[in-house]
Amino acid sequence: MSNLLLLIRKDFILLGNFIPLFLLSILFVAYVQLDSSSMFATFQSLLLLVYSCSMDAQNNNTKFVLGLPVSRQEMVLAKYLSLIPYSFIGLVCSFALFLISFSFGYSISPVYWIGVSLTLLMIPVTASIYLPIHYWLGYKNYYFNIFFNVVITITTINAGSSLSHSLVFSKITHLKLQDHLVQIGLIGIVYLFILYFSYKISLRLFCREEL
């Protein structure tokens, strides 16, 4: 098993005690934002990333891992790659809430899964803002993590109905992809550049940190 997979597995072990609280936050969002809770349950998976970073800082896990045959580049890259399973967990929660909402007779928008897809795309971009700040603050990021958790929760609650009923969302749902392939390609390139630029900044900050 590669070092990257082992590092991601380490984060999941740390998240064992956080999973019940994470599920409660999903249920809270679902209760407050019934009309679009399933869509934005996916966004709550960012809390898994924040908590894993917090546990690393509180337990000095980073110093311990550096004593193993693992490079700093692999440690940073593992944090970014961990967004894949975290997003998948959020997607499963969204699907579960979708089934629950449907079984209780709540109306489901015909463009619901487009909203879920947009929410999934928001996760790496938001993480690309969080992770460089996390590595910049180092072990002093306790209060920042609390603030970021609050921002994620409030954003999830308030953005639900406003985004799903916004003019921009309406235009996206009626967009014909075959007519805008060039624009979509350019947006995709910018999107990947943001992630790569964020990773390089995080790696540079982490390599400067003395542990």
Side-chain angles (χ1 to χ4, degrees):
M1 188 179 296
S2 69
N3 289 336
L4 291 175
L5 291 178
L6 289 172
L7 288 169
I8 295 174
R9 182 170 176 264
K10 179 264 297 179
D11 284 347
F12 270 90
I13 293 174
L14 292 175
L15 290 170
N17 295 328
F18 180 71
I19 293 299
L21 182 61
F22 169 71
L23 294 177
L24 284 176
S25 71
I26 295 292
L27 293 176
F28 175 73
V29 171
Y31 176 77
V32 175
Q33 194 64 260
L34 287 174
D35 57 346
S36 56
S37 59
S38 303
M39 181 191 304
F40 285 87
T42 312
F43 194 66
Q44 289 289 96
S45 60
L46 276 173
L47 296 178
L48 298 174
L49 173 66
V50 176
Y51 185 77
S52 69
C53 292
S54 298
M55 292 300 295
D56 279 341
Q58 292 176 18
N59 299 329
N60 273 337
N61 293 331
T62 303
K63 184 179 293 187
F64 172 76
V65 173
L66 280 175
L68 303 173
V70 177
S71 67
R72 295 198 180 205
Q73 181 178 1
E74 289 175 322
M75 293 173 66
V76 175
L77 184 58
K79 287 296 183 186
Y80 280 83
L81 292 179
S82 66
L83 292 171
I84 298 174
Y86 294 159
S87 298
F88 179 76
I89 291 174
L91 182 61
V92 170
C93 291
S94 292
F95 185 71
L97 287 176
F98 171 82
L99 294 178
I100 294 173
S101 301
F102 185 78
S103 63
F104 278 91
Y106 289 106
S107 59
I108 305 297
S109 171
V111 294
Y112 166 77
W113 292 109
I114 296 178
V116 172
S117 301
L118 291 176
T119 307
L120 284 173
L121 291 174
M122 289 167 57
I123 293 175
V125 174
T126 307
S128 69
I129 299 172
Y130 166 76
L131 284 171
I133 299 176
H134 161 73
Y135 286 110
W136 174 55
L137 293 175
Y139 291 103
K140 300 175 290 185
N141 67 351
Y142 175 76
Y143 294 105
F144 170 70
N145 283 339
I146 295 177
F147 171 76
F148 201 79
N149 287 338
V150 173
V151 169
I152 290 175
T153 303
I154 294 177
T155 301
T156 305
I157 294 173
N158 292 335
S161 59
S162 59
L163 179 60
S164 58
H165 294 93
S166 66
L167 182 61
V168 175
F169 184 78
S170 178
K171 288 183 177 179
I172 292 175
T173 55
H174 293 87
L175 188 68
K176 294 183 178 180
L177 298 181
Q178 63 271 20
D179 296 334
H180 301 82
L181 293 179
V182 176
Q183 294 90 327
I184 293 173
L186 291 175
I187 293 174
I189 292 173
V190 173
Y191 184 87
L192 293 175
F193 176 78
I194 291 173
L195 296 180
Y196 178 76
F197 190 64
S198 171
Y199 163 72
K200 297 299 287 187
I201 292 176
S202 296
L203 180 60
R204 187 178 183 87
L205 291 171
F206 185 50
C207 290
R208 287 182 174 181
E209 185 177 357
E210 295 182 3
L211 297 171

